[in-house]
Every structure is written in C-alpha cells, then in structure tokens.
Amino acid sequence: MDNGTASAGFPSSEVSDNLLVAISAFDEEPEQNLFKIGPFLNPKVISWQVDQGYEKTFVVEHGPYDKRKAVRLGVNLQSMRIIE
C-alpha cells in the first residue's frame, strides 16, 4: 500500500509502502485478521515458511538498493511479531 509521493523522505519523491497481511482459518465461519506493517522502502517478500503450529514466518527485504536490510516476521491468527 503506497504511502504517497515523497513519503520515503528522499528528494527523488520516492514513496514508502506498508504491507497488508491477511490471515484466515479454515472453517464455515473462519476467524480472520488483517495486519498492517511498515513503512518500508522498496519492500520485497523473499521467503515464506510454515512453522510448527499455525504460525507462518516470512522475510521482507527493504531499503535503498545499495543498503538493503531484511526482517523476519511471524504471523498467526492473533498477532504479528518481529522475529529478527
């Protein structure tokens, strides 16, 4: 989700983005949640993993092209957390 022109804080008018992560159980009336994380500059999800239980982890790479960083996040039906 784009945060608008110049939201990244650079003179080049780059934008920052928030990521929306939707998660749902499987049932007739499933529990569902939507989490919003960010802002990130040029985010790219580089991996997804299903851990033990119902938590999924994923890695988001972000930042300027010459200073990319990665953050690992965990998400389940009740919460999202930073792992690394």
Side-chain angles (χ1 to χ4, degrees):
M1 186 171 80
D2 180 316
N3 290 320
T5 303
S7 60
F10 297 109
S12 62
S13 296
E14 284 185 276
V15 299
S16 65
D17 296 287
N18 288 325
L19 298 177
L20 300 175
V21 178
I23 190 162
S24 178
F26 183 79
D27 200 354
E28 286 183 29
E29 294 182 27
E31 182 179 351
Q32 299 175 324
N33 276 314
L34 178 66
F35 300 99
K36 177 178 155 183
I37 55 172
F40 294 108
L41 179 62
N42 301 318
K44 181 179 179 182
V45 176
I46 57 174
S47 70
W48 278 97
Q49 291 181 312
V50 177
D51 293 340
Q52 292 181 352
Y54 293 102
E55 184 170 76
K56 296 184 184 290
T57 61
F58 59 103
V59 176
V60 176
E61 189 179 76
H62 63 97
Y65 76 95
D66 59 342
K67 296 179 183 176
R68 302 288 284 171
K69 296 179 182 178
V71 62
R72 180 177 301 277
L73 300 152
V75 64
N76 60 42
L77 280 170
Q78 290 78 35
S79 65
M80 183 182 308
R81 64 189 177 96
I82 296 173
I83 297 171
E84 297 174 12

